[in-house]
Amino acid sequence: LSRLRGQVPWTLTALIVTALSMIGIPPTGGFFGKWYILLGALEAENYVAVVAIVVGTSLTMGYFLRLIQPLLLEGDPPPERSEVEAPFAVRFAMGALAATTIALGIWSDQVVTILRETAIPVDL
């Protein structure tokens, strides 16, 4: 992976944003998803679930750090730049995924409100 450093900026950016969301770092959509699950577990006094969420988040962070570390940190110098970046359509899709992940995090309250109003029957 260290050979790709500096050669795939679109792919690397999309990978980092996706990893941050999977870990649960704000302002990504993954943070608010985990946040609501964690609040629900605390409200239900289900501390086993709380521990599972924290342990799972820590393991996820460890795996993604091992993946991203060679792409970001200095090591062997990268080879001369070559065209290894994905085609435009793939870069566009990755950019849309990253932007949507961040947008879902920023506007999570509005998304949750819409889901509550449309998905939950009125009499509940």
Side-chain angles (χ1 to χ4, degrees):
L1 288 176
S2 63
R3 293 184 301 172
L4 295 176
R5 189 174 359 102
Q7 297 190 37
V8 288
W10 285 92
T11 304
L12 180 59
T13 301
L15 174 66
I16 290 172
V17 170
T18 305
L20 292 176
S21 184
M22 295 284 294
I23 294 168
I25 305 294
T28 63
F31 167 76
F32 292 99
K34 281 190 182 188
W35 181 252
Y36 288 126
I37 292 171
L38 188 63
L39 287 179
L42 287 171
E43 195 173 296
E45 297 179 0
N46 187 345
Y47 300 111
V48 173
V50 171
V51 170
I53 292 166
V54 172
V55 169
T57 299
S58 301
L59 289 172
T60 303
M61 183 171 51
Y63 285 114
F64 275 115
L65 286 176
R66 294 262 312 172
L67 176 70
I68 294 172
Q69 181 183 4
L71 292 167
L72 295 178
L73 297 180
E74 295 295 325
D76 297 331
E80 289 188 30
R81 185 159 174 83
S82 62
E83 289 298 321
V84 294
E85 186 65 84
F88 173 77
V90 176
R91 289 193 315 256
F92 180 80
M94 289 187 296
L97 169 69
T100 303
T101 300
I102 292 172
L104 283 173
I106 292 172
W107 291 293
S108 68
D109 285 339
Q110 290 86 348
V111 172
V112 169
T113 300
I114 291 169
L115 290 174
R116 284 184 179 159
E117 291 173 356
T118 58
I120 299 175
V122 178
D123 10 338
L124 285 180

